[in-house]
C-alpha cells in the first residue's frame, strides 16, 4: 500500500507534497486561502449548527431581490458617510488600521455598551471604531500611520486611551491588547515593509488570495486560525475583510484591484451568523441556542465557536451559489452578500427587531 494508494489522502496534502518534492503543481491550481475548504469540513462534521437547505434557498432569493433593490455594489462601502471618502494611500492606511482593530465591540455583561460621540452623533459597535479613527485624525493624531505605532515616545497607551475615550464612561474591551497589536504591527511594517502598506499590497501583484496569505504569514495580528488537533482551521476574518474593504473602497480599481476577489469568503464575525439564523438559514442545537439566548459567553476555539464560524462561511457560499444559479449574470460575490447581511443585521438591531442575540466569544479575531 503506497503512500498515495490510500484515497483518504486529500488533494491539499498531495499538492503540498508535490510542491515540497518540487513536482510541478498543475498550472490550473490557482493559490487559495484554504478558508472555504476548512469551512466545508467544519460544516460536514458539525453537530450543534446545521444549515437549513430550504431556508437558505428561500433566503437567497430574498437577498438577491433586496440587493438588487438597494443596488448593492462596491460603491455601498463609501455610501456609509463615516467611511473615508478619499481614494488615496491615507485611506489604505485607514483601512489597515481599521481591520487590525475590527473586533469585539459588545460590552461585558454588567458594563455599558462602549459609545463614542463624533460630530454630535453617538456610535457603538463597528461604527464606534470608525468614528474614533476619524475623530483622532481631525485632532491631528496620526493614529492611522503604521510607523507611528512603533514610536514608543509618541504612541503611548495614554494617548491610545485618549483616542478611544467614550462619551458614557464605558471603555472598549481589550484596549491593552488592541494597543499592543498596533505596536507590534507597526514594528513589522517599519522593519519589513519600509513603513508602506502600499508595498505589502504591491507584493500580492493583484491577487486577493496572495495578499490574505501574505498578511497571515507576516502579521500574527491577522493569523486567525484554530489548531483543532486534527488540522488547522483557517478563518482569516480580518485579513479577508481588509482585502474586501480595499476592493469596495476603491471600487475594484487602484489599490483595490484584485483578479481573484471572488475567492474571498464571508467574514466569520458575530453579526452575520445572527442574521443567518434570523433568516432561517442556520439552525442550532437546543444547548447552543439556549447559551446564546442567555447571552452567556462561548469559549474561543470551542466546537460551538468553530461550528458557528465555519457553518456561517459555508452557508454564505451556498447562498452565493444559489444566487448565481438563479441569476448567472448577477454581479455577486460573498463579500457583497456578507456586507448586505451585516448591514441588515444592524438595521434590525436599530429597529429592535432582533429574534436572537449575537453569540458572545471574547476574541481578538472578530
Ligand atoms: N461579516 C462582517 N462583519 C463585519 C462587517 C462590519 C462592517 N463592514 C462595513 C463595510 C461594508 C459593509 O457594508 C459594512 O457597512 C463589521 N463587522 C464585524 O461585526 C462585528 C461588529 O458588529 P457590531 O458590534 O454590531 O457593530 C465585529 O466582529 C466586526 O468585525 C461586515 O461588513 N461583515
Amino acid at each position: 500500500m503506497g503512500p498515495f494508494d490510500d484515497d483518504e489522502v486529500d488533494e491539499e496534502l498531495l499538492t503540498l507534497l508535490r510542491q515540497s518534492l518540487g513536482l510541478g503543481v498543475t498550472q490550473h491550481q490557482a493559490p487559495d486561502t484554504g478558508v472555504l475548504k476548512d469551512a466545508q469540513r467544519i460544516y460536514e462534521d458539525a453537530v450543534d449548527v446545521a444549515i437549513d437547505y430550504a431556508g437558505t434557498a428561500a433566503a437567497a432569493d430574498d437577498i438577491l431581490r433586496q440587493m438588487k433593490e438597494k443596488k448593492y455594489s462596491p460603491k455601498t462601502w463609501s455610501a456609509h458617510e463615516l467611511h473615508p471618502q478619499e481614494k488615496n494611500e491615507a485611506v489604505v492606511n485607514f483601512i489597515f488600521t481599521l481591520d487590525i482593530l475590527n473586533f469585539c465591540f459588545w460590552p461585558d455583561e454588567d458594563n455599558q455598551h462602549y459609545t463614542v460621540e463624533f460630530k454630535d452623533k453617538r456610535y457603538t459597535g463597528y461604527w464606534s471604531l470608525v468614528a474614533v479613527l476619524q475623530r483622532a485624525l481631525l485632532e491631528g493624531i496620526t493614529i492611522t500611520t503604521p510607523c507611528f505605532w512603533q514610536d514608543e515616545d509618541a504612541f503611548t497607551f495614554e494617548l491610545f486611551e485618549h483616542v478611544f475615550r467614550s462619551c458614557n464612561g464605558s471603555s472598549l474591551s481589550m484596549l491593552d491588547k488592541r494597543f499592543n497589536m498596533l505596536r507590534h504591527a507597526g514594528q513589522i511594517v517599519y522593519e519589513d515593509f519600509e513603513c508602506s502598506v502600499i508595498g505589502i499590497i504591491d507584493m500580492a501583484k493583484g491577487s486577493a488570495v496572495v495578499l490574505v496569505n501574505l498578511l497571515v504569514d507576516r502579521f500574527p495580528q491577522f493569523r486567525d486560525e484554530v489548531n483543532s488537533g486534527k488540522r488547522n482551521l483557517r478563518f482569516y476574518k480580518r485579513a479577508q475583510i481588509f482585502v474586501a474593504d480595499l476592493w469596495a473602497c476603491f471600487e475594484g480599481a487602484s489599490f483595490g484591484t484584485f483578479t481573484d476577489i471572488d475567492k474571498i469568503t464571508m467574514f466569520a464575525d458575530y453579526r452575520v451568523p445572527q442574521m443567518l439564523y434570523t433568516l432561517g438559514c442556520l439552525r442550532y442545537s437546543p444547548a447552543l441556542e439556549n447559551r446564546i439566548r442567555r447571552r452567556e459567553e462561548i469559549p474561543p476555539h470551542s466546537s460551538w465557536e468553530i461550528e458557528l464560524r465555519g457553518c456561517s462561511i459555508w452557508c454564505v457560499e451556498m447562498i452565493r451559489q444559489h444566487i448565481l444559479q438563479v441569476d448567472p449574470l448577477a454581479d455577486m460575490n460573498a463579500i457583497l452578500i456578507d456586507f448586505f447581511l451585516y448591514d441588515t443585521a444592524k438595521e434590525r438591531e436599530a429597529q429592535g427587531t432582533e429574534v436572537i442575540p449575537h453569540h458572545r466569544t471574547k476574541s481578538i479575531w472578530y
Side-chain angles (χ1 to χ4, degrees):
M1 183 80 152
F4 300 128
D5 299 346
D6 174 355
D7 58 9
E8 282 307 302
V9 176
D10 66 9
E11 199 48 42
E12 186 180 6
L13 178 59
L14 280 174
T15 302
L16 285 175
L17 285 172
R18 284 192 191 108
Q19 284 170 334
S20 62
L21 295 172
L23 302 176
V25 175
T26 45
Q27 73 289 346
H28 75 269
Q29 276 172 308
D32 200 330
T33 64
V35 172
L36 193 59
K37 191 178 302 170
D38 289 349
Q40 182 173 17
R41 283 190 182 124
I42 292 167
Y43 162 66
E44 286 165 355
D45 295 344
V47 293
D48 287 292
V49 180
I51 293 176
D52 182 312
Y53 290 109
T56 298
D61 291 335
D62 196 38
I63 289 165
L64 175 60
R65 179 183 57 76
Q66 288 189 61
M67 288 181 74
K68 280 183 172 175
E69 267 171 26
K70 296 183 177 182
K71 297 186 173 41
Y72 252 77
S73 79
K75 293 183 188 306
T76 312
W77 194 92
S78 301
H80 291 281
E81 60 180 16
L82 208 55
H83 278 151
Q85 299 299 310
E86 306 77 13
K87 310 290 177 199
N88 54 29
E89 177 167 7
V91 176
V92 170
N93 286 341
F94 188 102
I95 292 172
F96 187 66
T97 312
L98 181 66
D99 287 324
I100 291 176
L101 301 174
N102 189 358
F103 61 86
C104 199
F105 300 99
W106 47 270
D108 296 328
E109 201 43 54
D110 45 3
N111 289 352
Q112 288 199 69
H113 206 157
Y114 175 67
T115 309
V116 299
E117 196 160 288
F118 176 61
K119 290 188 176 176
D120 301 326
K121 286 178 76 174
R122 293 191 162 205
Y123 298 93
T124 58
Y126 164 82
W127 294 111
S128 69
L129 173 58
V130 183
V132 150
L133 297 180
Q134 294 282 28
R135 181 176 66 184
L137 291 175
L138 276 186
E139 293 172 350
I141 302 169
T142 56
I143 191 67
T144 57
T145 302
C147 272
F148 177 63
W149 306 335
Q150 54 84 42
D151 181 337
E152 300 197 358
D153 299 326
F155 184 60
T156 63
F157 186 63
E158 289 68 33
L159 176 70
F160 196 67
E161 285 181 306
H162 169 73
V163 166
F164 278 84
R165 67 192 183 281
S166 75
C167 61
N168 64 348
S170 63
S171 58
L172 184 58
S173 65
M174 296 185 269
L175 207 58
D176 51 349
K177 282 187 181 174
R178 297 177 201 263
F179 175 73
N180 289 322
M181 286 166 75
L182 284 193
R183 169 79 89 215
H184 297 147
Q187 287 165 345
I188 294 168
V189 176
Y190 178 78
E191 289 160 13
D192 300 351
F193 297 100
E194 296 167 358
C195 285
S196 166
V197 178
I198 303 288
I200 303 170
I201 296 169
D202 289 346
M203 283 175 75
K205 298 193 185 333
S207 166
V209 165
V210 170
L211 184 51
V212 167
N213 289 341
L214 183 60
L215 285 170
V216 168
D217 180 54
R218 305 293 291 275
F219 290 88
Q221 297 80 18
F222 283 109
R223 203 167 297 148
D224 174 11
E225 51 194 33
V226 179
N227 191 321
S228 78
K230 282 183 294 181
R231 58 169 62 93
N232 222 21
L233 299 172
R234 294 155 289 192
F235 297 102
Y236 298 166
K237 182 256 178 190
R238 290 191 285 98
Q240 289 202 104
I241 203 168
F242 168 69
V243 174
D245 284 344
L246 283 177
W247 172 74
C249 170
F250 290 90
E251 296 171 27
S254 176
F255 302 120
T257 306
F258 297 103
T259 54
D260 56 351
I261 194 64
D262 292 348
K263 284 273 189 84
I264 297 295
T265 74
M266 168 264 181
F267 317 113
D269 73 317
Y270 53 83
R271 275 293 170 202
V272 176
Q274 174 191 34
M275 197 62 225
L276 291 171
Y277 176 94
T278 300
L279 294 174
C281 303
L282 291 184
R283 289 280 167 259
Y284 301 151
S285 66
L288 173 56
E289 182 163 341
N290 289 337
R291 188 68 167 262
I292 292 173
R293 288 191 182 281
R294 288 199 302 268
R295 289 176 166 79
E296 289 173 2
E297 289 193 25
I298 290 174
H301 299 186
S302 63
S303 65
W304 278 352
E305 184 205 31
I306 288 169
E307 290 181 19
L308 280 166
R309 301 188 80 193
C311 293
S312 296
I313 292 170
W314 189 247
C315 185
V316 171
E317 171 62 11
M318 290 178 70
I319 289 170
R320 186 191 71 84
Q321 290 179 17
H322 179 96
I323 285 176
L324 292 178
Q325 275 164 5
V326 166
D327 183 353
L329 300 180
D331 208 357
M332 188 64 64
N333 60 24
I335 296 172
L336 294 176
I337 296 168
D338 174 286
F339 282 175
F340 169 80
L341 290 170
Y342 172 84
D343 290 337
T344 306
K346 296 304 286 179
E347 284 164 16
R348 283 173 175 257
E349 183 194 44
Q351 294 157 3
T353 56
E354 291 179 331
V355 298
I356 189 170
H358 65 72
H359 76 274
R360 280 157 169 73
T361 296
K362 193 68 91 179
S363 170
I364 64 167
W365 302 118
Y366 62 96

